[in-house]
Amino acid sequence: MTSPKRPINNHNAYHAHVYFDEHTLAFATQLCQRIAEVFALEVGRIHQKPVGPHTRWSCQVKFTHADFDRFIPWLDRYRGELSVLVHADTGDNLADHTTHAYWLGDAVELDLRMFR
């Protein structure tokens, strides 16, 4: 079994998508609120349905290469059992969600049809 690619800091801008379900909703909500408090990053809505290419409930966090080295280790430490997609934000959605996609925890299948 191949391990998912771990995040690396070699892009200018990123999104992190925290994945959760009805059983982990409260934990994920608290985590995303804490991210906004600790890092003052742009944290999106808590989506309790699949949105875009994301096949699970999720919350998006926008950050830059300047935030990466402090934010990603913190997120990995406090995410619990949640999976997190970390991807570049280059403007090429397909590449960002494939070639430039990295994982904290287990990889989650994405629905990439909208990018093809």
Side-chain angles (χ1 to χ4, degrees), residues 24-38:
T24 55
L25 173 60
F27 178 82
T29 300
Q30 290 174 344
L31 177 66
C32 291
Q33 290 171 343
R34 189 81 176 118
I35 290 167
E37 293 167 3
V38 171

Side-chain angles (χ1 to χ4, degrees), residues 82-100:
L82 300 180
S83 292
V84 180
L85 166 63
V86 177
H87 70 76
D89 182 17
T90 67
D92 181 339
N93 284 321
L94 183 58
D96 290 345
H97 289 83
T98 55
T99 306
H100 308 310

